[in-house]
């Protein structure tokens, strides 16, 4: 559910972006999912399925003054490797991703790459509170509770 809300939020943010399309056209924006599909498929598929559900939304598009926006989810397999996760973020930003939904592996290095292209990274799994720092990493957000928050709730 939190993934759904984050993707919808990203859609609203994207709706505020200027565009050169005509009023009746639909522009498709890509959102990357950087997750361990091959090593922990339950994590990767949960994140990707949530993102795809949110991208479809109630109508499949978001209406803006410039026209309609639709979202495409592109999956990048990190394989639980920080090196692959960083390479995936490089590829996703080069592919024009407007946002990256990430499992959390490799964030310590990949946030800088995404920051250079003003691409937000939304963490959907790893819960260490040190990953999100508004002062040091202004483009990194959490769409999942922290480990501490979950432990507190379960206690």
């Amino acid at each position: 559910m939190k993934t759904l809300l984050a993707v919808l939020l990203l859609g609203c943010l994207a709706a505020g972006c200027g565009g050169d399309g005509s009023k009746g056209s639909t522009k498709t924006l890509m959102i990357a999912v950087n997750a361990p599909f091959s090593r922990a498929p339950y994590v990767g598929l949960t994140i990707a399925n949530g993102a795809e559900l949110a991208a479809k939304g109630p109508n499949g598009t978001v209406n803006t003054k410039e026209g309609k926006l639709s979202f495409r989810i592109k999956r990048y397999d990190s394989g639980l490797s920080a090196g692959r996760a960083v390479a995936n973020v490089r590829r996703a930003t080069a592919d024009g991703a407007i946002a990256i939904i990430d499992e959390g592996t490799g964030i310590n290095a990949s946030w800088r790459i995404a920051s250079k292209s003003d691409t937000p990274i939304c963490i959907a799994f790893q819960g260490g509170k040190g990953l999100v720092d508004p002062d040091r990493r202004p483009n990194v957000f959490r769409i999942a509770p922290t480990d501490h928050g979950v432990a507190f709730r379960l206690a």
Side-chain angles (χ1 to χ4, degrees):
M1 185 60 159
K2 290 190 183 242
T3 303
L4 171 67
L5 294 173
V7 173
L8 291 175
L9 173 67
L10 292 171
C12 292
L13 291 173
C17 299
D20 56 355
S22 65
K23 226 164 169 32
S25 67
T26 299
K27 182 177 180 179
T28 302
L29 303 173
M30 193 259 287
I31 298 173
V33 173
N34 190 21
F37 296 101
S38 61
R39 297 289 304 268
Y42 61 94
V43 173
L45 291 173
T46 300
I47 295 169
N49 289 343
E52 288 171 2
L53 180 64
K56 289 177 185 171
N59 301 321
T61 60
V62 175
N63 293 320
T64 70
K65 288 187 257 182
E66 289 81 23
K68 292 182 179 183
L69 297 175
S70 67
F71 301 95
R72 176 175 66 91
I73 304 301
K74 184 169 181 181
R75 299 176 183 197
Y76 296 83
D77 184 11
S78 69
L80 289 177
S81 162
R84 280 180 66 187
V86 170
N88 289 346
V89 169
R90 277 193 188 97
R91 258 186 271 126
T93 57
D95 290 346
I98 62 159
I100 300 168
I101 301 174
D102 201 294
E103 165 266 337
T105 299
I107 288 291
N108 286 329
S110 63
W111 75 270
R112 288 179 181 92
I113 297 160
S115 181
K116 288 178 184 174
S117 63
D118 292 325
T119 306
I121 296 180
C122 305
I123 301 171
F125 187 71
Q126 294 291 347
K129 73 177 188 176
L131 295 178
V132 177
D133 184 339
D135 296 324
R136 289 187 51 231
R137 298 179 182 136
N139 65 317
V140 177
F141 305 91
R142 178 175 312 289
I143 54 176
T146 63
D147 288 344
H148 174 75
V150 170
F152 182 78
R153 193 70 144 144
L154 291 175

